[in-house]
Amino acid sequence: PLGWGGGGMVDWNGPFQSALAHGDYPRLHRLFVDFVSVARMYGQVVVREQGIPDISKTVKPLDGIGGVAGGRKYCVNGILFKLCGDPKLGALHWLYGGAQPSYECAAKSAGHEIKGVNAYLRAFSNIKRVSWEHPDYSDEVAVDVPFQVMLDYAGYRMTAMPYLHLDKKFQRVHSKGSDEKSSKTSLVYGYDPKTGLVEDGTHRAPKLKPALKSLARRLHLAEHHVAGRKLYTAADIEVHLGCDRRLYALDLARAFPAESSNLCAHLPREKRQPEFFRLMRPELLAEIAKEGIAPPLSPDTFTGFSRGSPPEEGKKLEMGAHKATAYLLSKVIPRLAKELDADSKTLNFREPVASILHKRGINCRHIGLLRAFVKSKPVRDTLFVELAARTLKGLLRARLRKSSAQSEYDLIMMTVKFFNLVVNSPRFWNTKVYKGLLSRFGVVGLLSQPSAQNFAEKNRKFCG
């Protein structure tokens, strides 16, 4: 049964951590089903109320917790929701979209957070879970992660996780203008946005660093320096002390390194900031480690966090990212294209295209490049259907977000009208869909003949 946490909220995290520690998978399944049911119900309320003032909302936003990258926060029934959005950082600058806001890029970051949670859970799945203050705490102790789900509704995307009660036992001093202010924090590792300082766990949780070092080794991540501190994860991944004496890793959207955008010439950049949402997949990192293609990589490469690192370290990490990206573009993707061509007579895509790509460490944004390598017309046609379907999905979500519809009926009717355009309007395909294809996958995926050989040759120099 579920318990009750502080403030009269349902405690979802306690039963989850207990069931996980004891390997009670039937209990985990029941908990997950219940959580998804409740999260879906309240998540729909949060989305439907986006068009009304905050003071009139049933579920009011929490504007005082966490950073801005994950989106606006809401809390109800022990569930913390993060509604995706592209936060504005300056007069004409947004975190993900760069020169203009991009909800679609922000939504990709939420998907990366789910991948990060899964990777951390897998990495620590067979390790004894005890309190970090326990005498049995060893180098191989687990850092805990609260489970999360991703919800898509009416064009919006959000993540939902149990609300955690954190122990703010550590003192910190931060400046506000000419004044120095003191406050309490639960942060033991990661970047603190209030002070602008980076904690590496040395003083607040000395036994944490060996666990993170072990994690980095499993995920092929590099030890690197940020603001003079040695880290094993992205700087904005935070580890907090919970009131249950566990250490929790939070904000895992940048768990994996970014691709080298300079090598991905087939993808449009459009003044965006791809280092925050065009990340490598864990399957690719595993293959790179196994084949010795590149040394461990840093998730902070190409970001502002890398500016203070030692010059030689920064160059080495950037070259590693270039090698890994070149290997993906000139080896992994052409290899899959050959497999698909060889099986084209019997291939009927029983398995989803996304699953075929992901198992090989290829992101779906590279479907256009994959199609350019493929020679078989039936396979090229199937890949184009996938390109079109993903573009249509993005266009539909954008329309639903712009609407003021608050009822299920209105959302259904908008969707029906959209698919009438898809079926009956050549002009819609020649304008909206065509532009959508270009902005998501680049022109290389739209060409009628295979066209990627020169592109592959150009990138092979990084692979040796």
Side-chain angles (χ1 to χ4, degrees):
L2 294 173
W4 294 88
M9 289 192 290
V10 174
D11 178 19
W12 298 95
N13 181 62
F16 169 73
Q17 299 297 343
S18 174
L20 189 65
H22 292 91
D24 189 346
Y25 298 109
R27 186 181 176 198
L28 282 171
H29 182 255
R30 289 196 302 272
L31 179 69
F32 183 75
V33 169
D34 289 343
F35 182 87
V36 169
S37 175
V38 177
R40 184 183 288 127
M41 177 176 64
Y42 286 113
Q44 289 182 3
V45 173
V46 169
V47 167
R48 287 175 180 171
E49 294 184 339
Q50 285 307 294
I52 64 177
D54 288 350
I55 195 171
S56 303
K57 291 179 178 178
T58 307
V59 182
K60 294 180 171 54
L62 301 174
D63 291 329
I65 64 170
V68 297
R72 212 168 187 196
K73 280 80 172 175
Y74 300 79
C75 185
V76 58
N77 212 31
I79 301 176
L80 180 67
F81 294 93
K82 293 194 287 187
L83 183 65
C84 288
D86 194 354
K88 193 173 185 179
L89 303 180
L92 293 171
H93 187 68
W94 284 262
L95 178 61
Y96 299 106
Q100 59 185 8
S102 173
Y103 192 93
E104 197 164 320
C105 295
K108 291 181 187 299
S109 181
H112 289 313
E113 176 139 16
I114 299 298
K115 283 196 283 285
V117 168
N118 289 335
Y120 273 51
L121 283 171
R122 282 194 297 268
F124 291 119
S125 60
N126 296 319
I127 299 174
K128 184 179 179 182
R129 282 174 157 77
V130 296
S131 166
W132 67 287
E133 297 171 319
H134 194 279
D136 290 342
Y137 192 104
S138 69
D139 286 356
E140 289 293 300
V141 74
V143 176
D144 288 298
V145 183
F147 68 93
Q148 293 192 37
V149 298
M150 186 169 66
L151 305 170
D152 288 301
Y153 180 69
Y156 287 88
R157 172 169 287 182
M158 64 176 65
T159 57
M161 60 176 278
Y163 183 87
L164 297 180
H165 297 278
L166 303 177
D167 186 359
K168 297 185 177 182
K169 65 175 289 185
F170 304 109
Q171 194 77 22
R172 67 179 172 194
V173 177
H174 51 97
S175 301
K176 192 171 184 180
S178 59
D179 300 329
E180 278 196 349
K181 295 201 171 184
S182 176
S183 61
K184 296 281 191 176
T185 182
S186 58
L187 182 73
V188 300
Y189 175 95
Y191 175 71
D192 187 339
K194 287 195 175 179
T195 64
L197 301 176
V198 175
E199 292 291 339
D200 62 3
T202 300
H203 302 294
R204 295 179 179 177
K207 298 176 182 178
L208 170 65
K209 292 186 77 171
L212 294 181
K213 185 176 182 178
S214 174
L215 170 79
R217 186 173 62 250
R218 289 182 174 91
L219 300 182
H220 200 57
L221 301 179
E223 170 190 302
H224 61 285
H225 290 82
V226 175
R229 301 296 181 94
K230 186 188 294 184
L231 301 182
Y232 297 96
T233 69
D236 50 359
I237 286 180
E238 301 172 7
V239 178
H240 288 262
L241 175 64
C243 290
D244 56 2
R245 317 312 298 158
R246 293 175 180 267
L247 292 173
Y248 290 99
L250 304 175
D251 297 338
L252 303 179
R254 289 202 314 112
F256 299 106
E259 292 177 348
S260 170
S261 59
N262 291 336
L263 296 186
C264 295
H266 59 293
L267 295 176
R269 181 156 182 163
E270 299 177 350
K271 297 184 179 179
R272 296 175 182 172
Q273 301 203 122
E275 60 271 20
F276 293 118
F277 57 87
R278 286 181 182 166
L279 308 185
M280 299 180 194
R281 291 194 61 84
E283 298 89 347
L284 175 66
L285 291 177
E287 181 173 335
I288 286 170
K290 180 181 178 181
E291 300 296 330
I293 302 301
L297 307 177
S298 166
D300 288 322
T301 302
F302 306 126
T303 72
F305 289 116
S306 66
R307 289 174 190 157
S309 63
E312 288 304 314
E313 177 184 280
K315 289 179 183 178
K316 179 182 176 182
L317 292 172
E318 284 194 13
M319 181 54 66
H322 292 321
K323 285 183 176 180
T325 305
Y327 180 74
L328 169 68
L329 302 179
S330 63
K331 301 286 188 180
V332 178
I333 293 176
R335 184 175 66 208
L336 175 58
K338 288 181 180 179
E339 290 178 24
L340 296 176
D341 279 332
D343 296 338
S344 61
K345 292 183 179 179
T346 57
L347 190 70
N348 56 11
F349 285 95
R350 290 194 194 93
E351 187 178 2
V353 172
S355 176
I356 294 173
L357 269 66
H358 289 168
K359 286 196 298 189
R360 293 161 175 82
I362 304 171
N363 301 85
C364 287
R365 59 179 167 270
H366 297 303
I367 295 177
L369 181 60
L370 173 64
R371 182 175 182 269
F373 277 109
V374 168
K375 297 177 182 178
S376 165
K377 187 178 185 303
V379 177
R380 287 173 58 80
D381 289 346
T382 301
L383 293 176
F384 182 80
V385 170
E386 185 73 17
L387 294 176
R390 289 179 172 274
T391 300
L392 291 170
K393 179 175 67 174
L395 294 174
L396 174 59
R397 286 174 172 172
R399 288 196 174 211
L400 293 176
R401 284 195 303 273
K402 289 178 181 177
S403 75
S404 57
Q406 292 190 22
S407 73
E408 197 74 17
Y409 176 82
D410 291 339
L411 292 172
I412 291 172
M413 293 310 298
M414 283 195 65
T415 305
V416 170
K417 289 179 181 178
F418 177 83
F419 279 106
N420 280 332
L421 281 175
V422 172
V423 174
N424 298 312
S425 175
R427 184 171 179 272
F428 175 71
W429 280 88
N430 292 331
T431 54
K432 297 287 186 181
V433 178
Y434 178 71
K435 289 180 181 178
L437 285 164
L438 288 179
S439 67
R440 289 168 178 83
F441 305 103
V443 69
V444 69
L446 305 184
L447 300 176
S448 58
Q449 296 296 325
S451 56
Q453 298 305 321
N454 292 337
F455 178 84
E457 291 295 332
K458 185 172 68 173
N459 283 314
R460 281 199 180 101
K461 64 180 181 178
F462 286 100
C463 300

